[in-house]
Amino acid sequence: MARTQQQHRLGRLRKDALNVIGAVVLSMAFMGPATGVFFNTQPAAAGAGYALPFALLLALIVCVLVASAIGAFAKKIPTAGFAYTFNTHGFGKHGGFLSGWILAFAYAMVGPMLLAAIGELTSQFLQTQWNLTIPWWLFTIAFALILWGIGMLGISRSATTALVFLVLEVGVMLALFATIFAKGGAQGVTLAPFNPANSFGGFSGLGIGLLWGILYFVGFESAGTLGEETRNARSSIPVALFSAAIVIGIYYVLSGWAAAIGFGSSHVNAFVNDSSPWITLTQTYWGSGLVWLVSLTALNSIFANLISGINATVRVLFSMGREGIISRRLGQTTTHGNPSVALTVYMIFALAFALIGGALWTPLGAYGFFGTILGLGIVIIYILINLALIVFYRRDYPAVFSIVRHGILPVIASVIMLLPIYGLLWPVPAYPNNLVPYIMLVWIVLGGIYLYQIASRRPDLLEAMRRVMVEEQPPRGEQEPATDTA
């Protein structure tokens, strides 16, 4: 018994804690369907304008291609390490480390951005509905404590909680979309929003729209972090990835289309400059009496998003701690297989940054700043995963290498994802988002310095990154079933 407890303490997640539905739910909830629509529509429209649904459709295509790459990796190496483990197998120890370094930084922004947003939105909701004035930061602290408690209960409880919230938020928003379409929008239902020529900011504007479009989707890839806790992970994880990306992706495209026609082509400036477009659309198509319902739905979505986002972030930190890449304390678990140390450390970090960012730039300003860092980091990770897949399958599984699925499609996805990077660099965004590329560059340089140090002094840590805590993989080049090819 003592030996079993010691194994748990050293870092084993609870095996078979999730079925495929649980993995799908956590991925979808991490995407935050109502959160993305409620908060990301305005910054995405600021670039893409009336062509917002086209940018979201492009983001859907990109993310389905990324899902294909992640799913192909997960068939061979289901793990909590996700991108850093995948890219270690593709690019080697150094490339894998830098991927994990970028991923950890990007995912770390999820907590601060959403904690700031949920505190502000809760404060606004109480002010609007009952004229109660309570500072946003009190709600941010309260939600952080509640989320820590849920996380300590384990991932299966998190999945159940997320499912309830997910059904509620998607149902309400789909009803609003349907109302806008049924009433013909402001100037009729048209396919004009799918014309890229209607981009508000031209080519660069589409890049910004795509950047925020990809940010809508952030979270579907979190299924890749659940490989050690999901039953039949080799088949379940790819199903979860594609289900989350396609189902919620279609919902996002519908949201952009509904928003564009809801304002109409003659009111693009009003659409682009409206800081709360969905409140305006609710008032227009449902009346002021139901604004509370959409606001409550957004709160519901942020909460579910936080549950799933925190789970994914903590598991990346846990995996890196378990391997000794960062403090091994983060790789410890309870006797029930919960990464409690990583969870506690991350919640303290997320709360501190949410409070500091909200004080410096307002809570929603902090949401935009941390979200832009998250979006840029995820775009870089998506590109690296696609390129690593080509190397991995061509080298290690040549018998099942598909020129389409493992070659052409990853290249197409990588090229498309250069567009949001361009949009973020030119024209130069307003402060503080103009700092994001430089912050990311500094972080990568710091990672390179740390990599050099451990490669010189502790090369065993780099070797540890290739360890995957699952059963042995098939021998190199072994023939796989036909279903694994494109």
Side-chain angles (χ1 to χ4, degrees):
M1 179 67 177
R3 183 178 178 183
T4 301
Q5 291 178 345
Q6 178 72 0
Q7 287 176 341
H8 281 303
R9 189 183 68 80
L10 290 176
R12 287 262 183 197
L13 295 172
R14 183 182 173 190
K15 188 173 177 61
D16 296 337
L18 291 171
N19 57 22
V20 64
I21 296 176
V24 171
V25 167
L26 283 176
S27 295
M28 287 183 173
F30 188 1
M31 294 171 76
T35 304
V37 168
F38 197 86
F39 287 104
N40 296 351
T41 295
Q42 194 280 325
Y50 196 58
L52 174 62
F54 175 79
L56 294 176
L57 179 61
L58 198 59
L60 169 58
I61 293 170
V62 166
C63 290
V64 168
L65 294 177
V66 173
S68 176
I70 297 174
F73 264 121
K75 278 180 174 289
K76 306 300 180 185
I77 44 176
T79 173
F82 179 48
Y84 98 82
T85 304
F86 294 164
N87 289 351
T88 295
H89 283 263
F91 295 135
K93 305 169 190 175
H94 294 182
F97 173 84
L98 288 176
S99 296
W101 185 259
I102 296 170
L103 178 69
F105 186 51
Y107 267 11
M109 297 300 107
V110 172
M113 66 181 285
L114 293 179
L115 282 174
I118 197 171
E120 174 66 10
L121 193 58
T122 304
S123 179
Q124 290 181 3
F125 181 79
L126 294 180
Q127 174 66 40
T128 301
Q129 297 301 316
W130 294 292
N131 201 29
L132 295 175
T133 303
I134 301 175
W136 66 271
W137 53 267
L138 285 177
F139 292 111
T140 291
I141 293 172
F143 277 113
L145 292 173
I146 292 170
L147 289 159
W148 176 82
I150 292 175
M152 291 296 288
L153 293 176
I155 196 166
S156 58
R157 185 66 57 86
S158 295
T160 302
T161 305
L163 175 59
V164 174
F165 284 99
L166 180 67
V167 171
L168 291 173
E169 67 180 276
V170 171
V172 171
M173 295 308 294
L174 282 176
L176 179 55
F177 303 163
T179 302
I180 294 173
F181 284 113
K183 293 186 175 182
Q187 296 172 289
V189 177
T190 172
L191 293 177
F194 291 95
N195 183 350
N198 288 322
S199 170
F200 187 73
F203 190 72
S204 178
L206 280 178
I208 293 297
L210 180 56
L211 175 69
W212 281 92
I214 291 175
L215 191 58
Y216 275 79
F217 284 83
V218 167
F220 86 90
E221 77 289 336
S222 64
T225 69
L226 304 175
E228 295 176 34
E229 299 165 278
T230 304
R231 299 169 203 161
N232 303 315
R234 295 181 193 282
S235 58
S236 297
I237 296 303
V239 169
L241 288 162
F242 281 106
S243 298
I246 294 174
V247 173
I248 302 301
I250 293 173
Y251 160 88
Y252 284 150
V253 173
L254 285 174
S255 78
W257 193 12
I261 67 169
F263 276 88
S265 59
S266 298
H267 304 94
V268 174
N269 287 331
F271 179 32
V272 169
N273 294 315
D274 193 325
S275 60
S276 301
W278 287 101
I279 295 297
T280 301
L281 289 168
T282 302
Q283 292 173 333
T284 302
Y285 293 93
W286 273 359
S288 300
L290 286 178
V291 168
W292 67 269
L293 179 60
V294 174
S295 297
L296 196 59
T297 299
L299 279 171
N300 163 86
S301 178
I302 298 174
F303 190 73
N305 198 348
L306 274 163
I307 290 174
S308 302
I310 288 168
N311 271 309
T313 305
V314 165
R315 274 149 183 78
V316 171
L317 294 176
F318 158 81
S319 185
M320 296 182 76
R322 181 179 61 187
E323 302 290 9
I325 302 303
I326 53 181
S327 173
R328 286 192 182 275
R329 288 181 177 273
L330 297 175
Q332 295 179 357
T333 58
T334 66
T335 54
H336 298 291
N338 297 330
S340 56
V341 178
L343 172 65
T344 301
V345 170
Y346 178 66
M347 290 308 302
I348 293 172
F349 162 86
L351 177 59
F353 271 67
L355 295 175
I356 293 171
L360 290 175
W361 308 304
T362 75
L364 296 185
Y367 175 91
F369 175 69
F370 294 130
T372 303
I373 294 176
L374 170 62
L376 178 59
I378 290 296
V379 165
I380 294 172
I381 288 297
Y382 285 174
I383 292 173
L384 291 176
I385 288 177
N386 274 281
L387 299 180
L389 179 74
I390 300 172
V391 177
F392 176 64
Y393 266 81
R394 189 71 185 90
R395 182 193 63 215
D396 291 5
Y397 296 91
V400 295
F401 177 80
S402 166
I403 189 64
V404 175
R405 182 179 180 187
H406 306 130
I408 295 175
L409 294 182
V411 170
I412 291 174
S414 299
V415 171
I416 295 174
M417 283 186 286
L418 294 176
L419 181 59
I421 295 177
Y422 169 78
L424 188 58
L425 294 173
W426 187 261
V428 178
Y431 174 84
N433 289 353
N434 61 324
L435 302 177
V436 169
Y438 306 102
I439 291 172
M440 184 62 68
L441 180 60
V442 168
W443 180 254
I444 293 173
V445 170
L446 290 175
I449 294 172
Y450 182 43
L451 173 61
Y452 174 78
Q453 290 179 338
I454 63 175
S456 303
R457 303 174 185 176
R458 292 289 308 279
D460 57 302
L461 293 183
L462 292 179
E463 185 59 35
M465 295 186 73
R466 287 189 64 88
R467 292 200 295 266
V468 182
M469 295 183 69
V470 292
E471 64 274 19
E472 289 294 322
Q473 306 302 316
R476 178 176 296 190
E478 179 176 303
Q479 182 66 41
E480 294 287 315
T483 55
D484 191 47
T485 58

